[in-house]
Structure formats: C-alpha cells, structure tokens
Amino acid sequence: MAHARMVRETVRDLGPAGLLGARDALLELTRGALRREFDALEPRLAPALARAAMELADEYLAEPDLSPSLLARLNVSVRTLHRAFATAEEPVAAYVRRRRLEQARRELLTPWDRPSIAEAAARWHFADSSHFARAFKKQYGEAPSRMIAAAEEERRQRQADSHRPSAWEGPSGSERPGRRTGNDFPLLGNAN
C-alpha cells in the first residue's frame, strides 16, 4: 500500500517514464502479494524503481540538492534505491553526474549564447571548473575547451565549404573557363 500511496502523492510530479515505472512496480507488487511471493528485496521491482528514479532525477537535474535522499521520495529507502540502480549498472550518483555532463556538453556545443566552462560547471552543480573539466574529460575523452574548439573549427569549415564555388563554377559562379558550348560544335546543328 505504501507504493500506491506514494504514486498517488507524486503522480503530478512524474513524467511519462516515471508513470510507467510506477505502474510496473505497482503491478509487480500486486502480483507478488497475490502469489504470496513478496519479498522486500524483489529483484523484478528494481528495474521499474530505477526507471522511476531516473525520470525523477531528470526532472530535478538542475536542482542543487538532487541526491539519493531526494530521489527516495519514491517512498523507498536510500538503500533500496541504491540496490535498484545496481540493476541499471550505474550508481545513482554516476547517473546524475552523467546526465548533468550531457546537459553541460549540449550547452557548450551550442553556437549561440554559449556559457563559459565555469558557468556551465556552476549551472550543473560541479564543485568548480577544474572538477567539471576532469569529469568531462573522463566522460568524453577530451577537455571541454578542446571539444568546443574542435566544434568551432568544424562549424567554420562547414561554413567555408558551403560558400566555396564548385569545380564547375568560376570565382563568381559563372561557367568554368574554357568550357565548350553547343556553338563551338558546328556539325551538331548549331552552326552560325
């Protein structure tokens, strides 16, 4: 009943994935109770709980106090939440850090209104920009400054390529010099 009560209390805060996870967990709890097989450590509930917690984490990703304790709002203990995330092959903190890094990366690669690296680090709640840079490099294999520079260079190259005349055009977009026209071949019926 605690899970049903928790779902009732948080249903307005859950997104589609959270609702699906809550529904799956409720079905598994009901199934286990009917079969009298319920165990507080029921492993089949863990994936649904982890999905619901991930959905909740994604909704609160920008909140500075996002933590396993906050995610335990799903009416489970922090310990149960950690066990559920074990089925997701990623601890709770690693999931939150990865999702925050993804958001920061997306912002840093945006060509307009890009925050500085320090601003992105602060916005996504890393201790400081050097901590952020280390976590970023570990996740993506290169420092954020190098990734930004490479993206800018690629953008400049694409822009230059889109403005470069093709091999069949002259500098002003005219026909390529030395190209023959139909009038150059009198035997083809275009004789003057």
Side-chain angles (χ1 to χ4, degrees):
M1 291 322 270
H3 182 72
R5 193 170 37 256
M6 178 276 307
V7 170
R8 186 179 67 239
E9 291 170 2
T10 61
V11 71
R12 290 186 190 105
D13 296 333
L14 297 176
L19 287 171
L20 182 64
R23 183 207 64 186
D24 291 350
L26 188 56
L27 288 172
E28 288 298 324
L29 281 168
T30 304
R31 190 175 302 135
L34 290 174
R35 292 181 185 163
R36 298 186 185 276
E37 297 173 349
F38 180 73
D39 181 349
L41 303 177
E42 180 64 56
R44 291 179 292 181
L45 298 177
L49 177 58
R51 275 196 313 271
M54 287 175 187
E55 173 69 20
L56 190 59
D58 288 344
E59 289 179 29
Y60 289 95
L61 208 52
E63 297 297 319
D65 59 340
L66 178 59
S67 67
S69 299
L70 177 72
L71 295 176
R73 278 184 38 188
L74 294 169
N75 214 19
V76 296
S77 69
V78 173
R79 184 173 165 215
T80 300
L81 184 68
H82 283 294
R83 279 196 313 261
F85 266 82
T87 65
E89 299 177 6
E90 186 175 39
V92 179
Y95 177 79
V96 170
R97 181 179 44 254
R98 179 177 58 81
R99 292 292 292 131
R100 284 178 169 170
L101 283 168
E102 288 170 1
Q103 293 300 317
R105 180 178 184 268
R106 182 179 6 243
E107 287 180 1
L108 290 172
L109 292 179
T110 302
W112 58 90
D113 200 26
R114 177 185 308 128
S116 69
I117 293 171
E119 289 168 336
R123 179 176 297 132
W124 295 106
H125 310 291
F126 287 86
D128 55 42
S129 56
S130 62
H131 174 244
F132 170 74
R134 284 190 305 274
F136 192 96
K137 186 171 184 174
K138 185 177 180 182
Q139 179 74 29
Y140 296 110
E142 64 183 334
S145 57
R146 301 223 356 113
M147 187 174 282
I148 292 168
E152 281 299 311
E153 179 58 32
E154 184 180 321
R155 194 173 296 114
R156 278 192 293 276
Q157 188 61 44
R158 277 195 317 263
Q159 210 170 26
D161 288 347
S162 70
H163 291 94
R164 185 175 294 142
S166 73
W168 290 99
E169 296 175 351
S172 64
S174 62
E175 284 187 5
R176 186 171 137 190
R179 185 166 181 219
R180 297 185 179 257
T181 65
N183 292 336
D184 294 333
F185 301 98
L187 297 177
L188 295 177
N190 286 337
N192 292 333

